[in-house]
């Protein structure tokens, strides 16, 4: 009977999502509508779309448990960074200028923007390939996180849960595109707010100490071994705990400024006034979601005495951090709340997945296959091709998730670091500083990508956040340094990008 009730709740939720997809399909007429909603999205919807893309099952299942166990309540520094830097500062610095500059340049994707801003045509296909390659494992990580919840709550097998999610996300996204994404994000965002607040209250009550008492007792020394405590006889962690924590804060807070699926939300927002209100809404949402998730992860020390008591990997080689949060919610909250948790994580995952699928399919359709030409005109079959490639991307993500390639946090950190390391320097400096040169942008993109990916393999998966942070720093530092000593973009191109009067040619003497 309990499983039937959960299944019914999920079925009702699916019907609502598909209804939104059907309604949105009637408003989607071209590639621009499908990818950025015709630049007509209001503040509430834009803010919720940003926040729900930011936080998915990767946070609730993978990050909350693993980082909460590794750092206790010191994990809340990550939440603070996400709200203040990753949301408030990102919106304040980039939202208005991104919205206006991408419209002037007629760019609807990150690769289109980089090619138009710097006048380097091959940046477009190169950026598209990077986006597609690294969004597949990111999406696979989201599928893995959600599947753990389905296994625990509905008794659905891991592979069946992944296929179910893929079909559901693919159907409503293929129908309605960005209109469907943003409207479902609004519904999902409201569900997440109420769900995580209840989750905090219930788990804090289960500790017997209350919210504030649990916080005080959940603190660990900032130098505690981070994330993966070494087994007996193994070498000590490569970095002290506080450096790993700082890397996590930097990666998850600064990184969104370079992630294509995050900055896409700025392309579509309606106006300057909408952006001003969107900053407030998005920051409040991010604060509630991130603080709640990491707080609950930090509570794990009240329920497990040591790492040996944690859920264990099937191969017996140590704790399965991805299952900490699902197990806590199953054991220490009322039965009725498991339905709420399932819907909250389902909502968080679907919103992130739909944005990832949309951005990756656009990278191929628009930036590699030329669904839009240089004048922004669309090919006859561009919209159909984009819908088809949405399905292709979903299928590839499912294949990777089915193979359980790496832990959730590892998959997310590698992908997040590669994408942010590549794009954060060229994008942020290109928006904010008119003297950024093509050579600076290319150098920042390539060196940031190489540093992030190379650091992941050299430092090891346990130090993925540090590698990701290093890549972003390299990109942000190299772009202006190289720009100071290389040839700038033409004044005509800059005038178009920044909305200035095109300089007149000097008369011949």
């Amino acid at each position: 009977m309990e499983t039937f009730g959960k299944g019914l709740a999920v079925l009702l939720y699916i019907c609502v999502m598909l209804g939104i997809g059907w309604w949105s399909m009637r408003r989607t007429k071209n590639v621009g509508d499908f990818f950025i909603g015709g630049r007509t999205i209001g503040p509430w919807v834009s803010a919720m779309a940003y926040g729900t893309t930011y936080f998915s099952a990767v946070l609730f299942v993978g990050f909350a448990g693993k980082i909460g166990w590794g750092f206790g309540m010191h994990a809340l520094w990550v939440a603070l960074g996400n709200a203040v830097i990753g949301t408030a500062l990102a919106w304040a610095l980039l939202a208005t200028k991104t919205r206006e500059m991408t419209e002037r340049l007629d760019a609807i994707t990150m690769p289109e923007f980089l090619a138009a801003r710097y006048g380097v045509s091959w940046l477009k296909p190169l950026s598209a390939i990077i986006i597609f390659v690294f969004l597949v494992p990111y999406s696979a990580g989201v599928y893995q996180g959600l599947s753990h919840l389905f296994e625990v709550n509905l008794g659905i097998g891991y592979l069946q849960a992944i296929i179910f999610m893929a079909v559901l996300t693919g159907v409503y996204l293929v129908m309605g595109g960005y209109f469907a994404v943003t409207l479902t994000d609004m519904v999902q965002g409201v569900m997440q707010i109420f769900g995580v607040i209840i989750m905090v209250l219930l788990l804090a009550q289960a500790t017997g100490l209350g919210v504030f008492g649990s916080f005080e007792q959940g603190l660990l020394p900032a130098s505690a071994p981070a994330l993966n405590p070494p087994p007996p006889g193994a070498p000590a962690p490569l970095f002290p705990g506080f450096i790993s924590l700082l890397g996590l804060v930097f990666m998850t807070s600064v990184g969104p400024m370079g992630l294509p699926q995050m900055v896409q939300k700025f392309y579509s927002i309606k106006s300057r006034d909408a952006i001003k209100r969107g900053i407030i809404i998005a920051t409040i949402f991010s604060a509630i979601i991130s603080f709640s998730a990491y707080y609950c992860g930090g509570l794990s020390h009240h329920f497990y005495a040591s790492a040996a008591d944690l859920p264990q990997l099937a191969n017996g080689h140590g704790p399965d951090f991805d299952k900490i949060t699902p197990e806590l919610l199953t054991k220490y909250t009322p039965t009725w709340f498991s339905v709420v948790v399932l819907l909250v994580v389902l909502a968080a995952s679907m919103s992130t997945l739909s944005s990832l699928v949309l951005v990756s399919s656009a990278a191929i359709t628009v930036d590699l296959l030329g669904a839009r030409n240089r004048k922004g005109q669309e090919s006859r079959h561009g919209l159909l091709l984009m819908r088809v490639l949405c399905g292709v991307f979903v299928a590839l993500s499912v294949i990777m998730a089915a193979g359980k390639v790496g832990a959730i946090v590892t998959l997310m950190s590698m992908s997040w670091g590669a994408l942010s390391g590549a794009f954060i320097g060229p994008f942020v400096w290109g928006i904010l500083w008119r003297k950024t040169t093509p050579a600076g942008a290319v150098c920042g993109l390539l060196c940031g990508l190489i540093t992030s990916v190379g650091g992941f393999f050299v430092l090891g998966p346990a130090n993925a956040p540090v590698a990701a942070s290093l890549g972003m720093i390299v990109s942000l530092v190299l772009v202006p340094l190289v720009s100071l000593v290389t040839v700038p973009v033409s004044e005509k191109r800059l005038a178009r990008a920044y909305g200035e009067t095109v300089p007149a040619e000097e008369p011949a003497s």
Side-chain angles (χ1 to χ4, degrees):
M1 189 67 183
E2 177 186 334
T3 302
F4 174 78
K6 294 176 183 178
L8 182 61
V10 172
L11 180 62
L12 291 174
Y13 176 78
I14 291 171
C15 291
V16 172
M17 296 300 103
L18 294 180
I20 292 174
W22 176 259
W23 180 86
S24 301
M25 185 170 65
R26 302 176 63 183
R27 296 188 58 188
T28 303
K29 307 298 183 184
N30 52 50
V31 171
D33 288 343
F34 194 88
F35 188 64
I36 59 172
R39 302 186 195 269
T40 61
I41 309 301
W44 278 92
V45 176
S46 293
M48 289 293 196
Y50 185 91
T52 52
T53 301
Y54 201 162
F55 306 113
S56 70
V58 173
L59 171 66
F60 288 99
V61 181
F63 262 66
K66 189 170 187 177
I67 296 172
W69 177 259
F71 297 106
M73 290 301 170
H74 290 290
L76 292 179
W77 286 109
V78 182
L80 181 64
N82 293 173
V84 175
I85 301 173
T87 306
L89 184 62
W91 275 70
L93 282 179
L94 302 175
T96 299
K97 293 183 178 180
T98 299
R99 168 64 176 83
E100 295 176 352
M101 190 178 291
T102 54
E103 184 172 30
R104 295 188 202 108
L105 296 175
D106 192 27
I108 67 170
T109 67
M110 174 75 82
E112 277 195 334
F113 167 77
L114 294 178
R117 167 66 176 83
Y118 296 112
V120 181
S121 59
W122 56 266
L123 270 178
K124 188 174 176 180
L126 174 63
S127 301
I129 292 170
I130 293 171
I131 288 171
F132 192 83
V133 167
F134 287 101
L135 279 186
V136 171
Y138 193 139
S139 181
V142 177
Y143 278 120
Q144 287 184 207
L146 185 62
S147 297
H148 288 308
L149 265 295
F150 271 88
E151 282 185 295
V152 172
N153 279 280
L154 290 178
I156 299 176
Y158 178 82
L159 183 59
Q160 289 78 8
I162 292 175
I163 294 173
F164 166 77
M165 268 301 302
V167 171
L168 176 58
T169 307
V171 168
Y172 88 81
L173 176 59
V174 167
M175 284 197 297
Y178 195 69
F179 284 123
V181 170
T182 54
L183 290 176
T184 52
D185 284 350
M186 185 72 186
V187 175
Q188 292 160 350
V190 172
M191 290 173 54
Q192 288 179 53
I193 289 173
F194 285 103
V196 297
I197 291 174
I198 297 171
M199 180 170 70
V200 166
L201 295 176
L202 289 175
L203 285 179
Q205 183 182 35
T207 66
L209 298 171
V211 175
F212 295 104
S214 298
F215 171 78
E216 293 174 1
Q217 294 296 321
L219 289 173
L220 288 177
S223 59
L227 303 182
N228 286 321
L238 184 60
F239 296 106
F242 75 91
I243 292 182
S244 294
L245 181 59
L246 183 62
L248 281 164
V249 174
F250 190 91
M251 180 190 77
T252 61
S253 302
V254 178
M257 298 185 195
L259 291 176
Q261 71 271 22
M262 299 299 296
V263 300
Q264 177 214 14
K265 306 302 182 286
F266 301 148
Y267 298 12
S268 61
I269 197 166
K270 186 186 298 184
S271 63
R272 280 177 174 259
D273 288 338
I275 289 171
K276 291 177 183 177
R277 285 177 286 166
I279 294 174
I280 299 171
I281 299 166
T283 302
I284 293 173
F285 178 85
S286 295
I288 292 173
I289 300 300
S290 58
F291 273 87
S292 298
Y294 286 116
Y295 173 85
C296 290
L299 290 180
S300 58
H301 289 275
H302 292 283
F303 301 103
Y304 302 106
S306 68
D309 299 319
L310 294 173
Q312 299 295 303
L313 292 167
N315 59 17
H317 291 169
D320 188 346
F321 296 104
D322 295 343
K323 290 185 177 179
I324 291 178
T325 301
E327 186 170 284
L328 287 181
L329 293 172
T330 302
K331 289 184 176 180
Y332 299 104
T333 61
T335 302
W336 63 265
F337 186 64
S338 62
V339 179
V340 178
V341 171
L342 186 64
L343 293 179
V344 165
V345 179
L346 179 61
S349 300
M350 285 182 63
S351 56
T352 301
L353 283 169
S354 57
S355 291
L356 299 179
V357 172
L358 200 57
V359 169
S360 60
S361 63
I364 302 299
T365 308
V366 175
D367 302 313
L368 279 183
L369 302 182
R372 300 173 82 237
N373 61 25
R374 292 182 180 179
K375 296 181 179 180
Q377 297 169 336
E378 297 178 8
S379 67
R380 183 179 176 184
H381 303 294
L383 183 56
L384 174 61
L385 183 59
M386 196 162 185
R387 283 177 163 144
V388 170
L389 284 171
C390 281
V392 172
F393 179 84
V394 168
L396 290 174
S397 301
V398 167
I399 291 171
M400 178 170 281
K404 295 188 178 182
V405 183
I408 294 173
V409 175
T410 301
L411 277 176
M412 186 269 187
S413 297
M414 180 191 71
S415 303
W416 188 298
L419 290 167
S420 292
F423 296 123
I424 192 167
F427 178 75
V428 171
W429 285 112
I431 291 288
L432 300 179
W433 191 40
R434 69 192 317 278
K435 293 184 179 181
T436 310
T437 68
V442 171
C443 183
L445 186 149
L446 295 177
C447 293
L449 175 64
I450 291 170
T451 302
S452 293
V453 177
F456 178 83
F457 290 103
V458 172
L459 301 178
N463 299 292
V466 176
S469 299
L470 289 175
M472 292 179 220
I473 292 170
V474 165
S475 183
L476 285 168
V477 170
L478 282 182
V479 170
L481 288 180
V482 175
S483 294
L484 289 173
V485 295
T486 52
V487 179
V489 175
S490 70
E491 285 299 320
K492 185 176 181 180
R493 184 175 295 276
L494 285 175
R496 181 187 174 202
Y498 286 90
E500 302 164 349
T501 303
V502 178
E505 294 183 3
E506 296 183 3
S509 56

